Amino acid sequence: MPVKRSASVAALLPPVVGRRARARLCVRLAAPLTFLLLFVALFRTQSLLGIPPAAPPPSAGPAKVAFLFLVRAGVPLDFLWDAFFRNGEEGRFSVYVHSAPGFQLDRTTTGSPYFYGRQLARSVKVVWGEATMVEAERMLFAAALQDPANQRFVLLSDSCVPLYNFSSIYTYLMASPKSFVDSFVDKTEKRYNQNMSPAIPKDKWRKGSQWVVLIRKHAEVVVGDKKLLKVFRRHCQMVVTKSLLGRRPNARRLGFTFRRKQKGVAQQEHDCIPDEHYVQTLFSIKGLEDELERRTLTYTSWNQSSNPKDKMTWHPMVFEYDTSSPEHINAIKRIDHVNYQMEQRTEWCQCNGTLVPCFLFARKFSYSAAMHLLEQGAIGTPKSAQLMINF
């Protein structure tokens, strides 16, 4: 007859045998525990060194659009964006702000709860025309990548405004599997520095608007780059002269840095302006241009005067109350193509193969212009998601 086991084996063993079994069990557990501790230590080391963690698993929830604001301090048009987000869809957007070091967004610095505490924990002092602008952009992308639900990344300035309601913009962005990056071949040869070679071959040098919209894959490429950023830091430093801005106090107030010219070395006033070249050139070198809609979604009105005495030559114009009327805004919305004269290329604006208006956002809007836009109801109560043809 089979023997029935009514008591545990441990209870029947002598005390010495029990201690040996427990010892063997501890040895078996020690190896995986040690591996786990080493993994945690390695992860902490990567975080301290700034190495981005491995890509998180896809989110089970709805895809989100990350709105990345690059501002000086506060968000001057927060009242407009408050209406935009309030009429949006909860769980389908997130907000990140890079502002001056030490600045806090709270009830005393913004009237919109959508911006409370949304500034990055770490930021840099941004100087126009230098690599710090790119560093600030990369910090925004890196912060937004921590949320696996973020699938589109929209870079915005403190003077940017939306031209449509949230639902329309969300549908537009999610319908395209591509990033929107204004990029073209810069044939003027005034900004490319031969010393950038071989890291940046001349035929890979690109120029375009810094206001990009990236898919997650491309945002990871920007954050993961270490090589190209070093080249831009080394060779893209703003050289300001009196002939460029006039009196020195004005230049200092604008955030420029004065640099002495070395004897016997010819230096240009604009070495390269990193924010107009970095992302475009990086994607060119990485062979990603076929994955881009090579245009920006942010409209800028440029003063295209050829008069050298005009201090505003090729400078972005500011929208005021009278120039942000429904007629002006509708004219921007009707634009359906962009001409690139240097490449003799016409970019017909498409989204996943469907012809669409070119622009979803615009800059530079004053407070009164943003108020006028709000009065028009352009970003009012969002309609249900529709096909792109309804734009």
Side-chain angles (χ1 to χ4, degrees), residues 191-311:
R191 293 185 177 180
Y192 179 77
N193 188 334
Q194 295 291 343
N195 293 327
M196 294 178 175
S197 181
I200 303 179
K202 187 175 181 180
D203 64 332
K204 297 296 184 181
W205 180 250
R206 298 290 186 268
K207 182 182 178 182
S209 169
Q210 79 176 103
W211 310 113
V212 300
V213 176
L214 304 183
I215 61 175
R216 188 174 183 90
K217 169 188 174 181
H218 295 157
E220 291 171 345
V221 171
V222 171
V223 174
D225 168 62
K226 298 295 184 294
K227 180 179 179 180
L228 203 65
L229 181 61
K230 292 180 180 179
V231 178
F232 274 83
R233 283 178 180 146
R234 186 179 307 118
H235 297 291
C236 294
Q237 297 178 344
M238 191 65 182
V239 179
V240 179
T241 64
K242 292 183 178 180
S243 63
L244 177 63
L245 284 176
R247 294 182 299 175
R248 181 171 295 191
N250 290 337
R252 284 177 174 169
R253 187 168 63 250
L254 289 171
F256 288 102
T257 301
F258 279 87
R259 301 182 184 278
R260 294 182 178 181
K261 293 186 176 182
Q262 301 175 6
K263 293 182 179 180
V265 178
Q267 289 182 301
Q268 297 176 339
E269 292 177 350
H270 294 266
D271 272 356
C272 80
I273 316 298
D275 52 271
E276 295 183 1
H277 296 274
Y278 174 73
V279 172
Q280 291 81 356
T281 302
L282 175 63
F283 289 168
S284 173
I285 291 174
K286 295 291 186 180
L288 298 174
E289 290 185 302
D290 289 342
E291 301 178 10
L292 310 176
E293 294 283 357
R294 294 177 61 189
R295 59 186 178 88
T296 181
L297 294 179
T298 301
Y299 176 81
T300 303
S301 178
W302 294 94
N303 173 13
Q304 301 182 22
S305 171
S306 59
N307 184 355
K309 295 183 179 181
D310 186 353
K311 294 183 179 180

Side-chain angles (χ1 to χ4, degrees), residues 109-375:
T109 54
T110 177
S112 171
Y114 294 104
F115 292 99
Y116 290 169
R118 299 313 301 166
Q119 75 282 343
L120 303 187
R122 177 174 169 266
S123 61
V124 296
K125 183 178 180 181
V126 175
V127 177
W128 183 83
E130 302 224 352
T132 50
M133 183 76 77
V134 173
E135 292 171 9
E137 294 175 8
R138 283 162 45 92
M139 288 180 177
L140 284 167
F141 287 123
L145 282 170
Q146 296 303 309
D147 184 349
N150 288 329
Q151 296 298 315
R152 300 294 184 273
F153 303 78
V154 182
L155 188 62
L156 300 160
S157 75
D158 55 6
S159 68
C160 281
V161 299
L163 298 176
Y164 297 92
N165 60 46
F166 176 86
S167 179
S168 298
I169 289 179
Y170 182 89
T171 303
Y172 189 117
L173 297 179
M174 289 302 171
S176 176
K178 296 185 175 183
S179 292
F180 294 86
V181 179
D182 183 46
S183 178
F184 57 91
V185 177
D186 185 11
K187 296 182 179 180
T188 61
E189 300 182 358
K190 292 182 179 180
R191 293 185 177 180
Y192 179 77
N193 188 334
Q194 295 291 343
N195 293 327
M196 294 178 175
S197 181
I200 303 179
K202 187 175 181 180
D203 64 332
K204 297 296 184 181
W205 180 250
R206 298 290 186 268
K207 182 182 178 182
S209 169
Q210 79 176 103
W211 310 113
V212 300
V213 176
L214 304 183
I215 61 175
R216 188 174 183 90
K217 169 188 174 181
H218 295 157
E220 291 171 345
V221 171
V222 171
V223 174
D225 168 62
K226 298 295 184 294
K227 180 179 179 180
L228 203 65
L229 181 61
K230 292 180 180 179
V231 178
F232 274 83
R233 283 178 180 146
R234 186 179 307 118
H235 297 291
C236 294
Q237 297 178 344
M238 191 65 182
V239 179
V240 179
T241 64
K242 292 183 178 180
S243 63
L244 177 63
L245 284 176
R247 294 182 299 175
R248 181 171 295 191
N250 290 337
R252 284 177 174 169
R253 187 168 63 250
L254 289 171
F256 288 102
T257 301
F258 279 87
R259 301 182 184 278
R260 294 182 178 181
K261 293 186 176 182
Q262 301 175 6
K263 293 182 179 180
V265 178
Q267 289 182 301
Q268 297 176 339
E269 292 177 350
H270 294 266
D271 272 356
C272 80
I273 316 298
D275 52 271
E276 295 183 1
H277 296 274
Y278 174 73
V279 172
Q280 291 81 356
T281 302
L282 175 63
F283 289 168
S284 173
I285 291 174
K286 295 291 186 180
L288 298 174
E289 290 185 302
D290 289 342
E291 301 178 10
L292 310 176
E293 294 283 357
R294 294 177 61 189
R295 59 186 178 88
T296 181
L297 294 179
T298 301
Y299 176 81
T300 303
S301 178
W302 294 94
N303 173 13
Q304 301 182 22
S305 171
S306 59
N307 184 355
K309 295 183 179 181
D310 186 353
K311 294 183 179 180
M312 297 296 289
T313 298
W314 283 102
H315 191 82
M317 304 294 289
V318 177
F319 283 89
E320 299 294 351
Y321 189 89
D322 58 338
T323 53
S324 58
S325 64
E327 293 75 19
H328 286 89
I329 299 302
N330 288 332
I332 297 173
K333 291 182 176 183
R334 286 194 296 268
I335 298 174
D336 60 3
H337 67 280
V338 181
N339 293 320
Y340 290 87
Q341 296 179 359
M342 288 189 180
E343 294 183 329
Q344 297 182 342
R345 169 171 63 97
T346 297
E347 191 77 15
W348 292 94
C349 299
Q350 300 184 49
C351 185
N352 201 21
T354 301
L355 293 176
V356 292
C358 292
F359 301 106
L360 297 181
F361 310 95
R363 60 185 288 267
K364 304 173 76 167
F365 272 60
S366 65
Y367 185 95
S368 62
M371 185 62 71
H372 199 180
L373 182 64
L374 187 61
E375 292 170 356

